[in-house]
Amino acid sequence: MLSLEEKILVYQNEGEGFEILSTVIFVGIILSGITYSVLSLRALAIYKKRIKDNFSSIEKINLQWLLRLVFGLSIIWVLVFFADDKIIFSSVVLFVVFIGYYGIKQVGIFTNKHALELSLTTESKEIIEQCIAEPQITKYEKSALTDSQLKAIHGELVHLMKQKKLFLTPELTLTMVAEELEIHPNILSQVINTVEQKNFFDYVNTLRIEEFKDRIAKYDYQKYTLLSLAYECGFNSKTSFNRNFKNLMGKSPSEYLKECKAMLD
């Protein structure tokens, strides 16, 4: 540990005699910045997938804001080596302001206790025990559900969606549907992924699009706007509706409506 006098001497001599130590510190700072950025981006990719596996609407809980903060912090790392102190400190202050803004604006994702709690029946507990019985080399490593079990649960899911039309609920979650079926969310997620070949987000929004198409085909609904119909079908924003519709149909809602009107004429 250097004394204050020694530190002053090093500073006055512009680091002479401590070149190796300075190089090690410089390399360490660069590596820590790169490592942090890479690990942060990897974690974001994992959580982004988790969101689509558990929520049907992600506009208010997406992690784009956090991605911007990671990029912002990476820029600060670069400025540390190439900019003067005034620019560095100004960028840090601006970064802290952005953290505060996004921190207040962003809602909780996995902190809702009600969304994470599930009262399991005896039957559902037995199914879970079967699911963790033998490990398999699949996406769901601990799952041992048979094809017949997958089809049975999927049949119950389809029946539930037709009867209660849960997909009309804008903030529908995987846990909410699992509670209706009295099974564990992980099992339901596996069923949707395996049978439907979709995550929960895509599955629910596909049902919403199909409901929209059914309603727009009815003459009574011709007097409603596209956006009002979209809200009735479970979408909570115009952006979400347009994006999901185009992803599924390959065309915008307005283009689809024009084709429908042309067919009627």
Side-chain angles (χ1 to χ4, degrees):
M1 189 70 179
L2 297 176
S3 64
L4 179 59
E5 291 77 9
E6 290 174 325
K7 291 180 180 179
I8 294 175
L9 184 60
V10 171
Y11 176 78
Q12 292 175 341
N13 293 331
E14 297 182 349
E16 185 178 348
F18 291 86
E19 291 84 357
I20 296 178
L21 179 60
S22 298
T23 302
V24 171
I25 293 175
F26 179 79
V27 173
I29 293 175
I30 293 178
L31 290 178
S32 64
I34 295 174
T35 301
Y36 174 83
S37 299
V38 171
L39 292 179
S40 297
L41 292 174
R42 180 176 178 274
L44 284 173
I46 294 173
Y47 276 101
K48 185 176 181 180
K49 181 183 180 304
R50 283 190 62 193
I51 290 174
K52 286 197 171 185
D53 280 337
N54 288 275
F55 297 89
S56 63
S57 299
I58 61 174
E59 280 69 30
K60 295 181 180 179
I61 57 174
N62 68 67
L63 296 177
Q64 288 299 115
W65 63 277
L66 192 53
L67 182 62
R68 296 189 188 102
L69 293 182
V70 172
F71 281 130
L73 191 58
S74 300
I75 292 174
I76 291 177
W77 279 105
V78 174
L79 292 177
V80 168
F81 300 107
F82 299 103
D84 57 34
D85 292 345
K86 185 176 181 179
I87 295 177
I88 294 172
F89 291 136
S90 298
S91 64
V92 170
V93 170
L94 185 62
F95 182 74
V96 171
V97 171
F98 276 115
I99 290 178
Y101 169 75
Y102 285 119
I104 294 172
K105 183 180 178 182
Q106 193 68 19
V107 299
I109 300 177
F110 298 108
T111 57
N112 189 331
K113 292 183 179 180
H114 175 72
L116 297 177
E117 291 175 352
L118 178 63
S119 299
L120 300 175
T121 63
T122 303
E123 182 180 356
S124 62
K125 287 181 180 179
E126 291 177 355
I127 295 177
I128 294 173
E129 290 176 357
Q130 293 175 2
C131 287
I132 61 176
E134 297 178 3
Q136 298 179 14
I137 305 176
T138 61
K139 179 180 178 181
Y140 296 85
E141 266 187 19
K142 297 183 179 179
S143 173
L145 284 177
T146 63
D147 289 340
S148 60
Q149 288 175 318
L150 286 170
K151 291 179 181 178
I153 297 174
H154 180 258
E156 293 178 10
L157 173 64
V158 172
H159 178 74
L160 176 66
M161 287 299 183
K162 286 184 177 180
Q163 291 295 111
K164 293 190 175 183
K165 293 193 174 184
L166 297 180
F167 55 86
L168 297 181
T169 304
E171 303 300 331
L172 185 68
T173 67
L174 180 75
T175 301
M176 291 166 64
V177 180
E179 287 176 342
E180 290 284 340
L181 294 171
E182 296 185 337
I183 62 175
H184 195 277
N186 289 349
I187 295 176
L188 178 58
S189 181
Q190 179 187 358
V191 170
I192 294 174
N193 276 253
T194 304
V195 181
E196 293 287 342
Q197 295 293 305
K198 297 182 179 78
N199 54 42
F200 180 74
F201 175 85
D202 290 332
Y203 171 68
V204 172
N205 283 291
T206 297
L207 294 177
R208 290 170 176 169
I209 294 297
E210 294 301 323
E211 180 71 13
F212 173 84
K213 290 165 57 181
D214 290 341
R215 295 193 181 196
I216 204 69
K218 297 178 181 178
Y219 181 80
D220 292 343
Y221 282 98
Q222 296 295 325
K223 59 184 179 182
Y224 293 96
T225 64
L226 293 178
L227 188 57
S228 64
L229 283 177
Y231 285 144
E232 288 188 8
C233 293
F235 292 101
N236 56 11
S237 73
K238 181 179 180 180
T239 302
S240 174
F241 169 59
N242 288 334
R243 181 176 61 249
N244 282 283
F245 192 96
K246 193 161 188 178
N247 287 340
L248 180 64
M249 302 299 298
K251 63 190 72 174
S252 68
S254 57
E255 291 173 339
Y256 177 80
L257 181 58
K258 288 179 182 179
E259 290 182 1
C260 291
K261 288 181 177 180
M263 292 176 64
L264 291 174
D265 295 338

